[in-house]
Amino acid sequence: GQQVMQIPQYQHVQEGEDFTTYCNSSTTLSNIQWYKQRPGGHPVFLIQLVKSGEVKKQKRLTFQFGEAKKNSSLHITATQTTDVGTYFCAALNDYKLSFGAGTTVTVRA
Amino acid sequence: NAGVTQTPKFRILKIGQSMTLQCTQDMNHNYMYWYRQDPGMGLKLIYYSVGAGITDKGEVPNGYNVSRSTTEDFPLRLELAAPSQTSVYFCASSYWGSYYGYTFGSGTRLTVV
């Protein structure tokens, strides 16, 4: 399946600051999905990006799909303690998702 | 709707024992999946099914078996448990190949000792 690499693996953020996590692939992706997993919880679907250069927003979260459809990013503004968790990107291959290793976010109050 | 329901939530097995992890969904999704999650490793696909009676292997199928006799149920069978199968197991389902995202169950935390 298509492999996606996520960086950084860990992100320690001061409450109120912004941060970005990245998802990269060596091959062109048909689409990319993002999931959030709270500590001790299960992954929850956030969004899907399909078009080249697509940008979608969910409140303080901004998702972007690269022009070449080989990378994606998640930018969170004004980080809150509710943003704690692991964020996964996943590439769709036929009807199966291949997940990146995730970016684990901790927040300092 | 309950979504995707997994049982049990926790289980400790001895080496060599067998067990079945149950997964049921009530959303009439055709596609169902089993993933395992190890710390820092993301989710690895074990088996998947595109409909009742149809199953196929994912990335890490060794040591596991599945069946799909109904649309709702997709149990995962572990035969001869090994310490390497200590993990958190997630069942997921999707409508039409996940273009609407996967719905995950709450997971089964399995320890093999």
Side-chain angles (χ1 to χ4, degrees):
Chain A
Q2 293 176 323
Q3 300 295 321
V4 287
M5 305 296 293
Q6 285 188 254
I7 52 172
Q9 185 175 1
Y10 298 97
Q11 183 81 55
H12 308 289
V13 188
Q14 182 72 39
E15 190 174 15
E17 291 184 341
D18 302 351
F19 76 91
T20 303
T21 179
Y22 299 90
C23 180
N24 300 310
S25 171
S26 59
T27 59
T28 302
L29 304 172
S30 58
N31 67 8
I32 194 91
Q33 297 183 7
W34 286 88
Y35 290 77
K36 178 183 179 181
Q37 183 177 25
R38 295 182 186 276
H42 59 276
V44 175
F45 174 72
L46 294 176
I47 210 155
Q48 176 174 260
L49 304 171
V50 178
K51 299 176 183 177
S52 169
E54 188 170 16
V55 177
K56 289 188 177 180
K57 294 187 177 182
Q58 290 181 349
K59 297 183 180 178
R60 295 178 296 102
L61 277 61
T62 301
F63 303 85
Q64 187 163 3
F65 204 5
E67 293 291 341
K69 300 183 73 173
K70 289 186 176 181
N71 55 73
S72 180
S73 64
L74 161 58
H75 181 77
I76 300 182
T77 58
T79 303
Q80 299 177 357
T81 55
T82 54
D83 296 324
V84 164
T86 300
Y87 294 82
F88 294 99
C89 65
L92 183 63
N93 185 12
D94 290 330
Y95 28 75
K96 307 183 297 294
L97 284 177
S98 294
F99 285 82
T103 294
T104 298
V105 176
T106 56
V107 179
R108 300 187 301 272
Chain B
N1 287 346
V4 178
T5 303
Q6 289 185 241
T7 57
K9 293 190 182 303
F10 303 94
R11 183 72 186 268
I12 297 175
L13 277 183
K14 294 184 178 179
I15 294 172
Q17 286 185 323
S18 300
M19 75 165 294
T20 299
L21 282 66
Q22 301 292 343
C23 176
T24 299
Q25 55 92 10
D26 62 358
M27 298 171 286
N28 202 31
H29 286 171
N30 280 336
Y31 296 78
M32 296 188 74
Y33 313 84
W34 275 104
Y35 285 86
R36 59 175 288 171
Q37 184 176 35
D38 301 313
M41 299 296 291
L43 295 102
K44 299 295 184 185
L45 182 64
I46 306 172
Y47 271 95
Y48 65 98
S49 169
V50 301
I54 306 170
T55 63
D56 207 347
K57 297 177 180 179
E59 299 173 76
V60 290
N62 291 344
Y64 308 94
N65 273 301
V66 294
S67 59
R68 184 95 181 271
S69 57
T70 66
T71 299
E72 294 78 19
D73 300 309
F74 190 39
L76 178 71
R77 178 79 176 165
L78 278 71
E79 304 282 0
L80 300 174
S84 61
Q85 293 178 304
T86 294
S87 189
V88 180
Y89 291 85
F90 288 103
C91 178
S93 71
S94 68
Y95 175 72
W96 191 239
S98 78
Y99 279 95
Y100 298 94
Y102 283 12
T103 300
F104 282 85
S106 57
T108 295
R109 186 174 297 275
L110 175 67
T111 302
V112 182
V113 297

